[in-house]
Amino acid sequence: MIQRVQSLYLLLGVAALALMILAPVATLNIGSIGYTINALGTDSSAADFIDHDHAGGILFLGALALTMAVMLTNIFLFSNRKRQLVIGRLTYLLLAGVVVTMVWYINGFENDTDAGIEKRIGYFMPIAALAFNFLAIWSISKDEKLVRSVDRLR
């Protein structure tokens, strides 16, 4: 139910994570040339210089997709607030997994090429998703308290 504020927060969290797929996560600087790294890989022109195992990228993309799917599912569980709270807390762990796999993926490029890594906007999107998830959980718990107080009045 999109008219509830926690649904909006969860949708903004999913949008922040979806932005990571398209936006550059980091720039790999080899000499004077910068190659863009995002969740889908690197520039096609960087393939000549980079011999990197893509297992980290697949794991990163999988963690990102799983977290987005759980957050989207949580939007439609509006009728069961307690379950929504549990899944929202689980999302914290999934977001931590996204951060760990992203750092592992990016640092793999740095270790393979001995080049400098410059962090871009996509690198900080999990922090925005974490903030939106926190706001959603806060709003859900506020709704739950309101429903309990109304039940006491009956």
Side-chain angles (χ1 to χ4, degrees):
M1 195 162 165
I2 300 298
Q3 65 252 29
R4 295 175 63 215
V5 70
Q6 52 265 36
S7 299
L8 182 65
Y9 291 144
L10 289 169
L11 198 60
L12 287 172
V14 170
L17 292 177
L19 188 62
M20 284 183 68
I21 295 173
L22 303 174
V25 176
T27 302
L28 181 66
N29 295 319
I30 301 175
S32 63
I33 302 172
Y35 298 102
T36 302
I37 302 170
N38 61 12
L40 301 175
T42 60
D43 291 341
S44 59
S45 61
D48 299 335
F49 300 102
I50 301 170
D51 183 31
H52 185 64
D53 180 19
H54 291 289
I58 293 170
L59 191 61
F60 171 48
L61 197 57
L64 192 59
L66 178 66
T67 306
M68 288 171 54
V70 168
M71 287 181 87
L72 272 174
T73 303
N74 205 8
I75 291 173
F76 299 106
L77 295 175
F78 56 87
S79 62
N80 192 343
R81 284 177 303 281
K82 290 181 183 180
R83 183 175 290 157
Q84 232 181 354
L85 283 171
V86 169
I87 291 177
R89 291 181 182 121
L90 172 72
T91 306
Y92 282 136
L93 295 174
L94 292 173
L95 283 168
V98 167
V99 170
V100 167
T101 56
M102 177 182 64
V103 168
W104 178 49
Y105 177 57
I106 299 299
N107 284 343
F109 282 107
E110 190 173 23
N111 294 338
D112 288 349
T113 60
D114 294 327
I117 295 285
E118 183 180 325
K119 293 160 184 69
R120 305 292 291 216
I121 187 76
Y123 195 84
F124 303 102
M125 285 295 113
I127 296 169
L130 187 72
F132 287 127
N133 191 51
F134 172 78
L135 289 171
I137 289 175
W138 179 68
S139 296
I140 294 166
S141 62
K142 205 166 83 170
D143 274 2
E144 185 64 25
K145 287 178 187 175
L146 179 66
V147 167
R148 281 190 208 150
S149 70
V150 169
D151 285 344
R152 273 194 304 257
L153 293 176
R154 281 192 221 176

